[in-house]
């Protein structure tokens, strides 16, 4: 047997076959058998096709709009979403953070002819590629700034009229915390302060009402399913009303740079308005029927507006993290001043 094995090794030094019964043992004497084989023509073709497919997929994702839209525009360099803007006097403009949307007015006259002050703004993005969808700004009625300030200050010191620097940092940490921040805003919106507010939304690309609605519904449901106070037939009906507000033949397209206003009154009643002019001077609408602001409807159940507001103000995954941080800095600026000095 030994003589036979030596003969085999001399004949084939790379690999020798030893037959023992019915088994065949392959001996790799020089470690050559496990070396990677050169790719065949078929393998080279498959690797090349796979690489091209991956590049094409990344390209399509990068250029896929929120619906059927234009390619996203890069953010403007130097934009700081943490800059508080609520206390600027007079009519001014704040950089939107993107070249796709004009600057935001610091004051807006709403459909009720009341003036609202900008607390903060930011860009909503989607997917891991951070594709821009719209810019959102949070406004509070100028006569209700003091009510917001008082509600926030009392969460830190029930007897104070404003907060100190240390208390301001404490409040910032609570607002930034996903759990504490949502709890605090929940208390404020549920009755801690009677104030009127609105979100001004301007798309960075052409989109439609259904796409925007679906995102809001997902955010509302993410909160309502975890809270027993939403578990009844009345809220189910109210959410169905919310979906219906954005239906209909004329409610399809929302072109780039046009304006949507999501409004919440002091009682928590929700309303939504569409301005086809897209003007950014703080006014709404224009001359002629085609430039008239459209009132899409309202919902009286306050839980709808509260859940939607929380999608922007708090939580681990807000609709826009830059907007949330900017709004926090805005309300901290309010809380740092005595209530009597607000409303200017």
């Amino acid at each position: 047997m030994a003589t036979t094995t030596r003969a085999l090794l001399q004949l084939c030094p790379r690999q020798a076959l030893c037959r023992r019964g019915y088994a065949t043992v392959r001996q790799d004497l020089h470690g050559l058998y496990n070396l990677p084989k050169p790719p065949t023509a078929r393998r080279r073709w498959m690797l090349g096709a796979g690489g091209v497919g991956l590049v094409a997929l990344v390209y399509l994702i990068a250029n896929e709009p929120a619906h059927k839209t234009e390619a996203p525009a890069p953010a403007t360099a130097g934009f700081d979403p943490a800059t508080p803007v609520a206390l600027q006097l007079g009519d001014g403009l704040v950089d939107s953070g993107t070249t796709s949307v004009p600057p935001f007015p610091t004051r807006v006259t709403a459909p009720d002819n009341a003036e609202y002050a900008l607390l903060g703004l930011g860009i909503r993005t989607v997917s891991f590629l951070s594709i821009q969808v719209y810019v959102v700004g949070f406004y509070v009625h100028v006569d209700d700034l003091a009510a917001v300030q008082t509600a926030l200050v009392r969460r830190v010191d029930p007897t104070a009229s404003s907060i100190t620097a240390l208390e301001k940092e404490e409040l910032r940490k609570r607002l930034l915390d996903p759990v504490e921040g949502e709890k605090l805003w929940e208390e404020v919106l549920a009755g801690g302060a009677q104030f009127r507010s609105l979100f001004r939304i301007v798309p960075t690309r052409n989109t439609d009402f259904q796409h925007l609605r679906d995102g809001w519904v997902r955010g509302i449901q993410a909160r309502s399913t975890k809270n027993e106070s939403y578990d009844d037939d009345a809220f189910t009906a109210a959410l169905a009303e919310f979906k219906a507000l954005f239906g209909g033949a004329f409610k399809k397209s929302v072109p780039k740079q046009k304006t949507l206003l999501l409004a919440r009154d002091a009682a928590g009643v929700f309303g939504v308005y569409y301005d086809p002019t897209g003007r950014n001077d703080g006014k709404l609408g224009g001359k002629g029927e085609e430039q008239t602001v459209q009132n899409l409807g309202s919902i009286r159940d306050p839980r709808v507006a509260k859940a939607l507001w929380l999608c922007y103000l708090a939580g681990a995954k807000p609709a826009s993290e830059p907007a949330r941080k900017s709004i926090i800095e805005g309300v901290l600026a309010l809380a740092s001043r005595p209530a009597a000095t607000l409303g200017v």
Side-chain angles (χ1 to χ4, degrees):
M1 183 65 181
T3 304
T4 303
T5 302
R6 284 195 295 271
L8 287 172
L9 291 176
Q10 291 174 358
L11 291 173
C12 185
R14 178 182 176 185
Q15 58 186 21
L17 301 178
C18 297
R19 297 187 179 276
R20 297 177 180 176
Y22 295 101
T24 301
V25 180
R26 189 185 298 256
Q27 297 181 356
D28 186 3
L29 301 181
H30 303 290
L32 300 175
Y33 181 74
N34 291 322
L35 287 176
K37 297 180 180 180
T40 63
R42 178 181 174 82
R43 288 187 66 200
R44 285 195 297 269
W45 183 88
M46 292 179 65
L47 290 172
V52 172
L54 180 61
V55 171
L57 178 61
V58 171
Y59 176 81
L60 288 174
I61 293 175
N63 290 274
E64 176 67 15
H67 192 63
K68 291 184 179 179
T69 67
E70 303 171 10
T76 302
F79 172 66
D80 182 6
T83 301
V85 295
L87 304 180
Q88 295 188 20
L89 300 178
D91 297 329
L93 295 174
V94 176
D95 188 0
S96 69
T98 172
T99 56
S100 297
V101 172
F104 266 45
T106 58
R107 299 295 175 99
V108 165
T109 300
D112 60 359
N113 292 321
E115 189 177 44
Y116 289 70
L118 179 63
L119 281 177
L121 77 165
I123 304 171
R124 170 165 169 77
T125 60
V126 295
S127 88
F128 67 96
L129 295 172
S130 296
I131 298 174
Q132 297 177 6
V133 181
Y134 56 76
V135 181
V136 55
F138 183 57
Y139 292 78
V140 172
H141 195 296
V142 292
D143 292 341
D144 297 339
L145 291 172
V148 176
Q149 187 267 6
T150 301
L152 292 169
V153 169
R154 287 179 178 174
R155 265 61 192 175
V156 179
D157 185 345
T159 63
S161 61
S162 62
I163 57 176
T164 66
L166 290 177
E167 291 171 334
K168 181 178 179 179
E169 288 305 312
E170 177 188 345
L171 182 57
R172 177 183 282 111
K173 290 180 181 179
R174 290 180 61 186
L175 290 169
L176 288 172
D177 183 87
V179 177
E180 286 295 317
E182 183 148 355
K183 180 180 178 181
L184 192 152
W185 278 114
E186 175 91 22
E187 294 173 354
V188 171
L189 293 171
Q194 298 292 320
F195 68 97
R196 293 156 286 183
S197 59
L198 59 86
F199 284 101
R200 181 176 186 265
I201 293 174
V202 181
T204 62
R205 57 192 45 233
N206 299 328
T207 184
D208 58 49
F209 286 100
Q210 182 178 352
H211 174 77
L212 295 170
R213 179 201 66 188
D214 291 346
W216 292 325
V217 169
R218 286 193 297 270
I220 293 172
Q221 290 176 332
R223 282 165 169 77
S224 62
T225 54
K226 297 183 293 185
N227 192 325
E228 293 182 355
S229 65
Y230 295 89
D231 189 15
D232 56 48
D233 293 338
F235 179 75
T236 301
L239 188 57
E241 290 180 44
F242 178 84
K243 296 177 182 178
L245 290 182
F246 302 95
F250 78 98
K251 302 175 184 176
K252 291 184 178 181
S253 174
V254 183
K256 173 182 177 181
Q257 298 186 356
K258 304 308 179 183
T259 304
L260 269 176
L261 292 180
L262 309 179
R264 179 181 182 271
D265 69 10
V269 176
F270 172 80
V272 58
Y273 305 87
Y274 172 61
D275 182 4
T277 66
R279 60 192 297 179
N280 72 324
D281 59 355
K283 310 298 181 182
L284 295 175
K287 297 180 179 179
E289 185 177 351
E290 294 183 354
Q291 295 186 339
T292 300
V293 175
Q294 300 172 6
N295 182 352
L296 305 188
S298 62
I299 299 175
R300 301 198 64 81
D301 192 321
R303 292 174 294 181
V304 172
K306 182 180 70 173
L308 183 56
W309 261 228
L310 288 172
C311 291
Y312 290 99
L313 298 175
K317 295 180 179 180
S320 170
E321 180 65 10
R324 182 177 80 104
K325 291 181 177 179
S326 178
I327 293 168
I328 287 174
E329 294 304 316
V331 298
L332 288 173
L334 289 180
S336 301
R337 287 178 51 174
T341 66
L342 302 175
V344 292

